[in-house]
Amino acid sequence: MKPNIQQAAVIGAGVMGAAIAAHLANADIPTILLDIVPPKFTPQDEAKGLSPDAPAFRNKLADSGLRNALKANPAAFYAPENAKLITTGNLEDHLSLLGKVDWIIEAVVERLDIKNGLFGKIETVRTPGTIVSTNTSGIPVADMCKGRSEDFRKHFVGAHFFNPPRYMKLLEIISGPETLPEVVGAVARIGEERLGKGIVYAKDTPNFVANRIGMYSMMRAIRVMQELGLTVEAVDKITGPVIGNPKSASFRTADLVGLDTMAHVASNVYDNAADDECRSEFEVPAVLKTMIERNFLGDKTNGGFYKKGADEKGNKEILSIDLNTFEYTPQEKVRFASLEAIKTLEETSDKMRGLYYAKDKAGQFTFKTLSESLIYTANRIPEIADDIVNIDNAMRWGFAREMGPFEAWDVLGVKKSTAKMKEAGYVIPSWVQAMLDAGIESFYKSENGARYFYDVASNTCKQLEIPPQIVLLPSLKDRNKTVAGNKGATLIDLGDGVACLEFHTKMNALGTDIISMMHKSADIVSRDFEGLVIGNHGVNFSAGANLYMILFAAQEEEWDDLHWEVAQLQKAFMKLKYLDKPVVAAPAGMALGGGCEVCLAADRVRAAAETYIGLVEVGVGLLPAGGGCKEMVIRNT
């Protein structure tokens, strides 16, 4: 096997292939993007002055894929200039280029015959030791390497990216029957270290991990919605952020994915998982079939479960489909007593429990769908993955959920929820019952700074291995590594003479407590440490100054107090800027206003790729007051 992956090739310039190539370019990996020669030379091609032998015609599909990636929304490239790292071509004139790369990624249509034909061509030019991977979402990896050479089979692996590749963290890795462990390790390493992916090791089963569980949940949601007489918008209200899912919830997500794609993924399980006890659930529901027949496919056809429309006055609005008439109507106001009751709760875990144990229709829907999904997921071990950790990671990273299934089950209370499930007539998976019988009442636990998970095979708790390059601040705090702290921020000893200033307010907004800890941390680091990192595990690095605090002070005309707070913020940033030890800011998510100014005060900024940073105060009628304006002038003069 080639020791390092320095250059890659992607075959198939469709939506996924072009986006994968774009993300490889984001990671500074030169990439060749190939597709077939267009099957027909059209009058439109001739009108453009092309000929059948012209590269502009023969490379048209790959060139089009690259242009589409450049126009993609959300953006596929970190910066448009990254596209210069992509070389386009076709599979007839440029096949030999594959002999020069270290990693070949197949991303063509989901047909085994087409993939096998392509792999036969690849084998004629591939250099021994070159890794070949497939981006299939469900075709067995074992079937795709049949008939290939021994070296090909040993270096062939499933590497399933999720769409869009730049933003979705999950990369499922699926070994073939003869895949070398070092090949799996190489793909995992480049996925984690270069592409920013979370790796899940999946078994070679239909739809692997995330789509197997996610599609079961979706099919059940449709059927239970019909049983309870709920609307599309009601289900999305129940299955969105209140239970830790993205705002797109169930049906808005389906529109984004495409209803035809969703039906194809579900059918793949139905056709290929004959022993699945819930196989019938993957048969495409009649309502979904009707929508597909009517070309209501989602965003790609401007109408799926939702559609853009206008009211009587011509104002734009989003309509939802009535699954009884298949007509689009204005969305109804969603009102359930349980949703009203959890409105004031801040933690997702509290909201989820509130819905799960509620008695109204929202509670009934949540109990039924969530219970059935948890049971189905538990029954998939060890079929689709060896442990609960891979499954939880797959659902968090592949579907942007706040919690994986077993983490959610812990939130509900395993003992209490299983008792409720039994009372409703559900059969609890035998290994879950064995876990409870052994006196273990949660799938995860933390002790002395270490995290443990329940291992199904051994019926014991095992320590979760954390790679040495990953630092978990809660674990350090559990091991008494806190140096100083208050309600807004904590200074933690990372080891090796380095301290970390962690913010932990709501949205990590900067207030009196954080400002105070900046001053204190600077003094402590100057005296006792070799350097300071400013970072946290929050969704957002910092949403900026606490505007409510500023608004309250202004309304109360407490101008002296407000002036003092601003002065303290400015002094804190200057203290960081001129600290006699190096300061590194590590932002991710939003770093707005004061969050941006924290970074401007640091010696270096090590930002995550998806960091949204800027001085945005002007948007609410304010000017940056922490020194950001001055720092921006310095950097531009």
Side-chain angles (χ1 to χ4, degrees):
M1 186 189 75
K2 297 182 180 181
N4 295 304
I5 295 174
Q6 300 295 334
Q7 188 172 5
V10 178
I11 303 176
V15 173
M16 276 301 291
I20 291 170
H23 197 51
L24 291 167
N26 289 337
D28 204 29
I29 299 171
T31 301
I32 298 164
L33 178 62
L34 303 182
D35 211 312
I36 62 171
V37 174
K40 291 182 180 180
F41 184 75
T42 66
Q44 290 83 357
D45 294 320
E46 188 173 8
K48 293 176 182 177
L50 303 178
S51 70
D53 297 326
F57 169 71
R58 295 178 67 79
N59 299 342
K60 183 168 72 170
L61 295 181
D63 289 340
S64 176
L66 180 56
R67 285 195 300 271
N68 290 337
L70 280 163
K71 294 185 294 185
N73 184 20
F77 289 99
Y78 292 162
E81 52 265 32
N82 288 350
K84 295 176 182 178
L85 287 171
I86 297 177
T87 302
T88 57
N90 67 76
L91 286 167
E92 293 180 18
D93 304 328
H94 306 104
L95 188 68
S96 61
L97 295 177
L98 301 181
K100 302 177 181 179
V101 305
D102 310 304
W103 184 15
I104 301 169
I105 301 170
E106 171 273 308
V108 302
V109 66
E110 285 286 86
R111 277 181 49 184
L112 181 60
D113 58 334
I114 292 176
K115 291 179 186 289
N116 279 338
L118 174 62
F119 294 137
K121 290 181 180 180
I122 291 173
E123 193 153 28
T124 65
V125 297
R126 168 186 169 272
T127 303
T130 300
I131 295 172
V132 181
S133 70
T134 173
N135 188 56
T136 181
S137 60
I139 296 176
V141 172
D143 290 349
M144 282 185 276
C145 56
K146 287 179 180 177
R148 305 274 68 84
S149 68
E150 181 182 2
D151 186 81
F152 188 103
R153 298 194 306 271
K154 287 183 175 179
H155 292 85
F156 185 72
V157 66
H160 180 214
F161 291 82
F162 273 62
N163 192 29
R166 171 182 168 181
Y167 300 94
M168 298 308 294
K169 187 176 177 69
L170 178 59
L171 177 62
E172 290 180 323
I173 296 182
I174 309 98
S175 293
E178 300 175 56
T179 307
L180 295 171
E182 51 264 40
V183 169
V184 172
V187 175
R189 186 165 55 253
I190 193 171
E192 285 185 327
E193 297 177 3
R194 298 288 296 277
L195 302 177
K197 297 299 173 189
I199 305 301
V200 162
Y201 298 97
K203 302 287 187 70
D204 195 8
T205 55
N207 290 5
F208 311 128
V209 177
N211 280 337
R212 181 73 171 271
I213 304 303
M215 199 49 58
Y216 172 84
S217 299
M218 186 65 197
M219 295 298 103
R220 282 306 295 151
I222 293 174
R223 291 185 166 96
V224 176
M225 173 184 69
Q226 292 182 288
E227 290 171 14
L228 295 176
L230 296 173
T231 62
V232 165
E233 55 267 37
V235 170
D236 272 357
K237 194 74 172 180
I238 299 167
T239 60
V242 291
I243 61 168
N245 291 341
K247 290 181 180 178
S248 55
S250 299
F251 296 115
R252 182 72 190 99
T253 298
D255 281 352
L256 292 168
V257 171
L259 274 62
D260 53 342
T261 301
M262 192 170 68
H264 171 76
V265 175
S267 296
N268 189 55
V269 179
Y270 184 80
D271 295 338
N272 296 291
D275 295 331
D276 190 313
E277 76 279 4
C278 295
R279 177 174 177 251
S280 62
E281 295 296 341
F282 291 92
E283 187 173 8
V284 179
V287 291
L288 198 55
K289 289 180 180 178
T290 299
M291 291 179 70
I292 293 170
E293 289 168 0
R294 298 188 182 192
N295 206 37
F296 298 164
L297 305 181
D299 287 4
K300 66 178 77 175
T301 58
N302 298 315
F305 287 102
Y306 295 98
K307 180 180 181 178
K308 291 180 181 178
D311 61 20
E312 296 175 353
K313 297 180 180 179
N315 298 317
K316 292 180 180 179
E317 65 176 342
I318 302 297
L319 309 175
S320 63
I321 197 166
D322 182 330
L323 292 176
N324 294 312
T325 64
F326 296 98
E327 294 180 353
Y328 290 97
T329 58
Q331 295 184 52
E332 298 177 358
K333 290 287 185 182
V334 179
R335 291 190 177 91
F336 293 105
S338 56
L339 289 176
E340 291 297 318
I342 63 175
K343 265 186 178 180
T344 58
L345 303 176
E346 290 192 7
E347 298 296 327
T348 302
S349 55
D350 294 330
K351 293 178 181 180
M352 180 182 287
R353 279 191 296 268
L355 272 182
Y356 185 82
Y357 292 105
K359 302 295 184 183
D360 62 1
K361 275 194 176 183
Q364 294 171 39
F365 179 91
T366 303
F367 169 71
K368 193 173 180 64
T369 55
L370 190 50
S371 295
E372 291 171 357
S373 182
L374 295 175
I375 291 170
Y376 181 79
T377 303
N379 281 330
R380 302 280 71 76
I381 297 176
E383 179 193 350
I384 64 174
D386 285 327
D387 56 57
I388 66 172
V389 178
N390 274 290
I391 291 178
D392 277 345
N393 286 341
M395 299 313 294
R396 280 191 286 105
W397 295 337
F399 284 83
R401 293 182 179 177
E402 198 172 315
M403 292 172 274
F406 298 100
E407 293 167 322
W409 207 337
D410 274 350
V411 162
L412 297 174
V414 182
K415 189 174 182 179
K416 181 180 179 181
S417 62
T418 53
K420 183 175 172 65
M421 292 176 197
K422 288 179 182 178
E423 185 180 346
Y426 290 113
V427 178
I428 304 303
S430 58
W431 70 262
V432 176
Q433 190 59 56
M435 182 186 84
L436 292 171
D437 292 343
I440 303 170
E441 296 187 4
S442 65
F443 297 104
Y444 294 94
K445 66 176 181 178
S446 296
E447 288 181 358
N448 302 318
R451 188 159 166 79
Y452 296 82
F453 70 96
Y454 177 76
D455 179 60
V456 178
S458 64
N459 193 25
T460 59
C461 291
K462 288 187 175 181
Q463 186 171 343
L464 191 61
E465 294 183 11
I466 305 299
Q469 67 269 28
I470 293 177
V471 175
L472 296 177
L473 299 179
S475 175
L476 291 172
K477 288 190 280 190
D478 286 345
R479 285 184 276 145
N480 299 316
K481 297 295 182 178
T482 297
V483 178
N486 58 30
K487 291 181 179 180
T490 302
L491 185 67
I492 304 164
D493 185 351
L494 299 181
D496 298 323
V498 179
C500 176
L501 176 59
E502 173 201 26
F503 305 155
H504 42 72
T505 57
K506 185 175 182 180
M507 296 285 285
N508 288 325
L510 305 182
T512 304
D513 287 333
I514 289 180
I515 296 169
S516 172
M517 275 305 302
M518 285 185 193
H519 284 279
K520 189 170 185 177
S521 296
D523 293 336
I524 294 173
V525 169
S526 177
R527 184 183 68 240
D528 300 330
F529 288 89
E530 299 301 317
L532 174 67
V533 172
I534 305 176
N536 54 68
H537 294 313
V539 175
N540 298 298
F541 176 73
S542 174
N546 187 335
L547 295 181
Y548 290 108
M549 179 187 73
I550 295 171
L551 177 62
F552 179 78
Q555 287 175 333
E556 296 298 315
E557 298 185 356
E558 295 175 349
W559 307 118
D560 289 342
D561 290 346
L562 188 55
H563 177 77
W564 184 85
E565 287 285 356
V566 171
Q568 288 299 107
L569 181 65
Q570 293 170 344
K571 290 176 182 177
F573 288 148
M574 289 303 95
K575 208 165 187 177
L576 293 175
K577 180 175 180 177
Y578 293 109
L579 190 65
D580 58 350
K581 303 292 175 63
V583 177
V584 177
M590 292 192 294
L592 307 179
C596 175
E597 290 173 316
V598 172
C599 299
L600 292 171
D603 296 298
R604 293 290 186 273
V605 178
R606 188 66 172 170
E610 302 310 327
T611 302
Y612 302 87
I613 185 168
L615 300 172
V616 298
E617 289 91 337
V618 68
V620 290
L622 300 173
L623 290 176
C629 293
K630 176 258 297 180
E631 293 298 325
M632 293 294 282
V633 170
I634 290 173
R635 283 160 172 74
N636 288 280
T637 55

